[in-house]
Amino acid sequence: MTAAVGTLGGSCLWSHPELGLRAVLDATGSVRLGAPGQDQAALVPLVEVTATGHGRLWSGERFIETAIGARLTYRDHDTVRDANRERTTIRLADPETGLVAEVSLETAVGAGFLRSRVRLVNEGEVPLRLESVSTLTLGGIADVDGGLDGLTLHWADNDWLAECRWREAPLREHLVPLSRFAHGHEGRGCFERFSQGSWSTGRHLPIGALTDRSGRSWLWQIESSAGWRYETGEREGAAYLALFGPDDAHHQWRHTLAPGEDFRTVPAVLVRGAAGGLDTAFGELTDHRRLIRRDHPDHRALPVIYNDYMNTLMGDPTTEKLLPLVEAAARAGAEVFVIDAGWYDDDAQGWWDAVGAWEPARGRFPGGIQEVLDAIRGHGMVPGLWLEPEVVGVRSPLARTLPPEAFFRRGGLRVTEHGRHHLDLRHPAARAHLDAVVDRLAGEWGVGYLKLDYNINIGPGTENGPESPGAGLLGHHRAHLDWMAGLLDRHPGLVLENCGSGGLRMDYAQLAVAQLQSTSDQQDPLRYPPVAAAAATAVAPEQAAVWAYPQPDDTADRIAFTLTGALLGRIHLSGFLDRMSDEQFDLVRSAIRVYKDIRPEIAEARPFWPLGLPGWEDAWIAHGLRGRDSTYLAVWRRQRPGAPESRALTLSHLRGVDLRPEVLQPTTADATAEWDAVLGTLTVRLPRTDTAVLLRLGAPV
């Protein structure tokens, strides 16, 4: 993947044939990343940096064309190969400040992705006050005709209960065509998306894409829990892309780099699909996500999880309420039983602003919580508990006994948000407290699953001494990831679920360590399908926890609807199963049997969307997985005016294959599916609204 040939008017230091990228050294010593055949002027410097006193050469909303970026010149580079991975490090230096940038470009043999991060070292004699640092920049992105008018921009809005809402528009709608010939400059604006505060995905996903008319795609992901931003704009008739972690303008992040010190950016990944549009690109991104995460047996076992919360106990567990659910969950086929929020609630004023000690509530468990945990194990399931480790309620004794430095502070004052303080896990007292809690739960109590929730947005961060709030937030989150890794080192079988009021901290800084991700707190089963179907854009399918909460007052169609939506991810079963009729309970058990049959393929399958990424109000929604031996397809039909009873779905990867579609789940929806091998289309009919079906398209008949 490494080349050393002349091209684009300069010397090629590095190339990636699968991505069609080259890092080129020009006559001035600047290194730029782009596609072969593009005008050198369309490219941007490999690293862009703003620092106080060293801003931009062209002022505006863009964070490219920086003074330091323009001065950074090539020093050297090397490539290291390890097994099937390759990492090239390109070193640049600024002669004015003494700043050195080491750009790490990492990929795998035959892979269509590139992961980048930057290490800055101050080799100068005076401190530098950093305000923004790019992780990856790329220029020369163009449509098949060489321009950008045929490019389509894709981005994802995110919100509580409404995660993974993808939108698209022609890139030109967001980039006003201007006359560079008349003005001598590009515009000052760009299209940008960024996080705000400590919910990394509280507004948008840190993912975006550009596609062209030929089906080629550029897809990117920023791996940060503590601030991120991306921008794309026009440069010399082509599009450029710049990916960042936190910055001063958007996250109150500033970092003083003293002589001899270094700073490392958050990682980011770039994927290119040569054909096949976003489906191909998301398949490559899924492969990347599986490669970078911590290995864990949960990724292969995919146990069925029952959680008592959603539309069921809703934070009010007791021994009396739990024991019937434990028995019913085991009969249904669950393998993990999670006691969600409220198990520690022994406060007359409520638990929300009193949490922190994480001791069981005696009034809720007269015989002790071990009675319930033992019952879970006695039914052959792994016991799990809910925990919100980073917060301490304002009424908790810990708010007074832990040192002030163990909490988030700004302006010398402790930060309070929604009745909670926030721990800074860089402080040894905060970490020791949480280590003791988890070692008690996992070690002494035998809990094998922890749902780690995060229900406040603490704002820009914390000021520990002279640091900026954003720098404090980044420091805390890096310590938080290290803390989670430490838990898994001490308790290798422990499973960690990442939750942020559902999917509000759904990023691959967290998910490279945690095994699962809560996708939503959505309680309306009719509004969950677009979230469930699009979850694989943000999370590998085997990490995407989707609620399935059938109830005894549901119709057979409604029970099947809520169950089917979870079967191509990680099923999070809930609902009052103990109150169901035999017929209703059989529907649940049947769905769980189907899941256990197909889950070995989920762990290696690639996602695709034959109707495109779902819209929030779409009547028909489809999400598929391309497995090793079979293709699986979940299809929903929701009640919308004028929606037809059937839809044709194009499965181009199966065109020409003679096969027979198989209805796996449910048998109650009266669904039919007809396959046209010549056209590669599957026509699915669901005669009733608010029904769903899971299909398997297997080996040729």
Side-chain angles (χ1 to χ4, degrees), residues 219-441:
L219 175 67
W220 56 88
Q221 168 182 281
I222 305 172
E223 296 160 7
S224 172
S225 295
W228 58 267
R229 175 181 174 273
Y230 66 76
E231 68 174 74
T232 183
E234 184 172 9
R235 184 178 174 87
E236 296 288 349
Y240 75 88
L241 173 67
L243 309 180
F244 300 84
D247 65 61
D248 187 16
H250 300 85
H251 311 97
Q252 298 184 35
W253 178 88
R254 298 170 297 281
H255 184 90
T256 299
L257 197 64
E261 291 184 344
D262 71 342
F263 170 76
R264 297 175 186 269
T265 67
V266 302
V269 64
L270 178 70
V271 169
R272 187 192 183 202
L278 287 179
D279 284 355
T280 299
F282 275 117
E284 290 283 352
L285 185 58
T286 301
D287 290 347
H288 163 75
R289 289 166 172 168
R290 289 166 173 157
L291 187 65
I292 64 168
R293 68 192 180 192
R294 180 188 179 110
D295 184 50
H296 197 286
D298 180 79
H299 295 146
R300 294 173 289 278
L302 277 59
V304 174
I305 299 155
Y306 182 94
N307 182 300
D308 70 26
Y309 185 83
M310 191 59 70
N311 292 347
T312 310
L313 299 188
M314 298 298 290
D316 188 27
T318 65
T319 299
E320 182 181 9
K321 294 176 181 178
L322 284 166
L323 291 181
L325 291 174
V326 169
E327 192 274 335
R331 284 197 298 120
E335 295 152 305
V336 176
F337 189 101
V338 180
I339 305 172
D340 207 281
W343 59 270
Y344 41 78
D345 179 19
D346 230 353
D347 194 295
Q349 299 180 55
W351 60 265
W352 182 264
D353 58 358
V355 296
W358 308 112
E359 296 284 355
R362 294 181 181 179
R364 293 182 174 277
F365 308 102
I369 197 171
Q370 283 293 348
E371 178 184 0
V372 181
L373 299 179
D374 288 344
I376 293 170
R377 281 187 287 266
H379 282 86
M381 297 182 292
V382 173
L385 289 176
W386 180 95
L387 202 65
E388 196 170 358
E390 293 165 81
V391 302
V392 170
V394 296
R395 295 192 299 108
S396 170
L398 285 161
R400 297 180 294 277
T401 57
L402 287 173
E405 297 81 11
F407 295 95
F408 273 37
R409 296 170 297 159
R410 293 197 289 271
L413 302 175
R414 188 182 299 186
V415 179
T416 302
E417 176 70 12
H418 198 179
R420 275 100 176 275
H421 303 308
H422 198 293
L423 292 173
D424 186 340
L425 286 182
R426 296 174 295 177
H427 195 281
R431 183 154 177 167
H433 157 62
L434 290 183
D435 280 344
V437 168
V438 175
D439 289 347
R440 169 166 48 87
L441 303 184

Side-chain angles (χ1 to χ4, degrees), residues 195 197-198 200 224-228 245-246 251 253 266 470 473-475 477 507:
S195 64
S198 57
S200 59
S224 172
S225 295
W228 58 267
H251 311 97
W253 178 88
V266 302
L473 183 63
L474 180 60
H477 276 304
D507 62 73

Side-chain angles (χ1 to χ4, degrees), residues 142-145 147-152 170-172 211-214:
D143 191 24
V144 288
D145 62 3
L148 59 71
D149 288 345
L151 295 177
T152 299
L171 180 60
R172 187 50 90 187
T211 56
D212 70 12
R213 289 172 289 192
S214 72

Side-chain angles (χ1 to χ4, degrees), residues 83-134:
N84 70 329
R85 297 195 192 188
E86 177 181 291
R87 183 176 67 255
T88 295
T89 302
I90 301 174
R91 298 173 187 86
L92 312 167
D94 174 17
E96 182 173 323
T97 63
L99 184 69
V100 172
E102 298 179 350
V103 185
S104 174
L105 304 175
E106 186 173 353
T107 189
V109 175
F113 58 78
L114 171 69
R115 194 179 195 219
S116 175
R117 67 187 309 169
V118 175
R119 175 176 177 255
L120 297 182
V121 182
N122 187 352
E123 294 186 357
E125 298 179 353
V126 298
L128 274 172
R129 189 171 181 262
L130 303 173
E131 296 179 354
S132 70
V133 186
S134 67

Side-chain angles (χ1 to χ4, degrees), residues 177-200:
L178 302 172
S179 172
R180 182 177 175 86
F181 174 79
H183 301 286
H185 288 286
E186 303 286 0
R188 300 182 187 272
C190 61
F191 177 89
E192 64 175 0
R193 287 292 181 265
F194 53 90
S195 64
Q196 184 177 38
S198 57
W199 273 333
S200 59

